[in-house]
Amino acid sequence: MGGALAKMSNLDTTQSESKSFMTKVSGKGLRWLLAEIHLWFGLILCAPLVLLGLSGSYLMYHDELDALVAGGPAFEVSDGTSQSVDAIIAVAAAAAPQGFSLRMIRMPDGAGEPVIARIGPDGASFRDPRAKSIAVDPVTLDVLGEVVGGRSLLTGIMHDIHSHALIPGGIGRPIVGWLGVIMLFLCGSGLIIWWPKPRKLWAALTIKRGARGLRLHRDLHGAVGFWTLIVFTIVSFTGVYIAFPNPVASLMETVLMEERSSPPGPPVKAAEGVPEMGLQDAVRLADTVVSDVDFVLAMMPFRPGQPLRVQYNVPGSAEGAPKVTVMIDPWKIDVVKVEDPRAFGRTDMAVAWQRPLHAGVGLGPIWNGLVFISGFLPLLFSITGISMWWIKRRARQKRGRAA
């Protein structure tokens, strides 16, 4: 009997607290509730969100930083006209020792730079730790030497943080995706909470001269948040796409009212006893299905189930813009799919731009700089948000003691 009375008492207390909370919400409004959720999401998740942002900014320039740390040789390329792509690939493939093969080849970004070829064990990913990169002079076809360095320990850690939150086994990628969803929520809720009255709009868009304490943190949080909202929203949304490509692409189809021209094909499978085709033959095959393009990259599959990829730049397109990609089954020696941005509809184009936008490429140096800066925004918002919460909390405690 006593136990039943206790349960009823607990139930009454829970119902009373729930009723009190709902009364508080209805009294202060949904904007207050949104502000509370915004606050606690920010407080609880500030550390992973800050790490996600800072690691993203670092990775934008990790190649330059790794090269600086490695201190490898600077290769000198001869002046003159480059040899044919077929001849360059043949030389790079011939440089592979017994049991190794050409796993990736990348043409130079500009004049005076070498071709970079990745050579690794037969059948292995080009990221295999036994693989090595070599530089080839595209004019003389001389092998200039091995590219020293590669990914540094710091870059590896930053990549693991940004791609799967240091959690292996396929679990981390969805976690990073949901952190991106929370960032999108913080963007939207922050705008609603911040939205000022018409006569106070300009004051809300600026930082008051001489502001200190709570006013300074509030101005920084609100004004910087507003002026960077579009960039921060785009970077967050594209990050969600990278974590959840198929659901987000389906959402784009619904919003843009247009289906993708061709969804992803079935995974390729290695045929037992059948050797995979080489990159030279793959590029020759890809050349038969594209035109008016410039070869830029050919790469063996990253992992089982993926096709071999051959990529081309569209003449006149910005650096980093979506490329023409030919996907090939290296065992069936068959073209699986061709993605050509020149033939894309609205949805295909939106999907193709997700990764370039997230990486800060394709729209020139201004966009690159804005995306780099956006990685520091979670840190700024965390500092100013926590400071505002702490200052208000101390003020309430002081008023409580005074009463």
Side-chain angles (χ1 to χ4, degrees):
M1 182 70 177
L5 289 174
K7 289 181 179 179
M8 291 179 63
S9 176
N10 290 337
L11 180 61
D12 290 340
T13 300
T14 302
Q15 290 176 341
S16 176
E17 290 175 350
S18 177
K19 186 175 180 181
S20 175
F21 176 75
M22 294 306 297
T23 301
K24 193 173 185 180
V25 171
S26 60
K28 293 191 175 182
L30 290 177
R31 188 172 179 176
W32 172 84
L33 177 60
L34 198 62
E36 288 293 299
I37 298 173
H38 183 97
L39 167 65
W40 289 105
F41 267 161
L43 288 176
I44 295 170
L45 297 174
C46 63
L49 293 179
V50 168
L51 287 174
L52 201 60
L54 293 179
S55 60
S57 292
Y58 172 91
L59 290 173
M60 291 182 65
Y61 299 102
H62 74 88
D63 285 335
E64 292 82 355
L65 293 170
D66 286 344
L68 184 65
V69 172
F75 299 108
E76 294 185 3
V77 175
S78 305
D79 294 330
T81 304
S82 296
Q83 300 286 337
S84 68
V85 171
D86 192 72
I88 294 172
I89 296 177
V91 168
Q98 184 69 28
F100 278 52
S101 59
L102 183 63
R103 312 307 297 171
M104 184 273 289
I105 188 159
R106 185 178 73 244
M107 301 301 287
D109 294 328
E113 297 181 13
V115 173
I116 302 299
R118 187 76 169 163
I119 296 171
D122 294 335
S125 165
F126 79 98
R127 284 183 175 171
D128 189 288
R130 295 168 293 174
K132 63 179 181 179
S133 296
I134 60 172
V136 178
D137 189 323
V139 178
T140 64
L141 299 182
D142 292 333
V143 176
L144 302 176
E146 184 176 348
V147 178
V148 179
R151 178 184 290 185
S152 66
L153 176 61
L154 178 59
T155 294
I157 293 173
M158 289 295 188
H159 182 272
D160 290 344
I161 291 173
H162 200 75
S163 62
H164 51 78
L166 295 174
I167 304 175
I171 301 174
R173 177 61 65 91
I175 292 175
V176 171
W178 282 111
L179 288 174
V181 173
I182 290 172
M183 282 188 179
L184 288 173
F185 169 79
L186 293 175
C187 288
S189 60
L191 180 64
I192 295 172
I193 297 163
W194 166 87
W195 198 264
K197 295 179 180 179
R199 293 183 179 180
K200 296 183 178 180
L201 179 60
W202 178 248
L205 293 174
T206 57
I207 301 170
K208 185 178 180 181
R209 181 179 297 178
R212 295 181 179 178
L214 179 63
R215 178 59 187 265
L216 174 62
H217 292 294
R218 187 174 62 194
D219 284 359
L220 280 170
H221 200 85
V224 174
F226 175 82
W227 291 113
T228 60
L229 179 66
I230 294 177
V231 175
F232 196 60
T233 300
I234 292 174
V235 173
S236 299
F237 182 85
T238 53
V240 173
Y241 166 82
I242 293 171
F244 307 118
N246 290 330
V248 175
S250 297
L251 174 63
M252 291 181 186
E253 288 180 331
T254 302
V255 172
L256 298 175
M257 296 182 291
E258 180 185 79
E259 292 185 358
R260 285 172 286 176
S261 60
S262 56
V268 301
K269 294 182 179 179
E272 188 175 350
V274 178
E276 59 188 9
M277 72 186 306
L279 286 185
Q280 188 173 25
D281 290 331
V283 174
R284 288 172 180 170
L285 176 60
D287 284 343
T288 65
V289 296
V290 296
S291 59
D292 301 323
V293 290
D294 299 321
F295 171 77
V296 63
L297 175 73
M299 182 168 53
M300 300 303 291
F302 275 72
R303 59 185 69 91
Q306 288 188 330
L308 185 157
R309 295 172 183 265
V310 181
Q311 292 189 326
Y312 302 83
N313 279 332
V314 177
S317 62
E319 182 181 351
K323 296 174 171 54
V324 176
T325 301
V326 179
M327 303 180 192
I328 297 173
D329 186 326
W331 291 279
K332 294 182 179 179
I333 311 181
D334 184 36
V335 174
V336 176
K337 185 180 180 183
V338 178
E339 294 181 347
D340 190 338
R342 296 170 295 184
F344 283 170
R346 295 189 302 273
T347 303
D348 288 318
M349 187 61 75
V351 169
W353 271 99
Q354 295 303 297
R355 288 182 180 273
L357 287 174
H358 192 76
V361 298
L363 295 180
I366 294 178
W367 177 252
N368 184 271
L370 289 174
V371 173
F372 175 76
I373 293 171
S374 74
F376 293 87
L377 293 177
L379 177 61
L380 173 66
F381 294 148
S382 294
I383 292 173
T384 54
I386 292 173
S387 296
M388 286 190 291
W389 168 75
W390 183 251
I391 291 171
K392 290 178 180 178
R393 185 173 182 270
R394 290 184 63 186
R396 286 195 299 268
Q397 290 176 341
K398 188 175 182 180
R399 287 195 300 267
R401 288 193 296 268

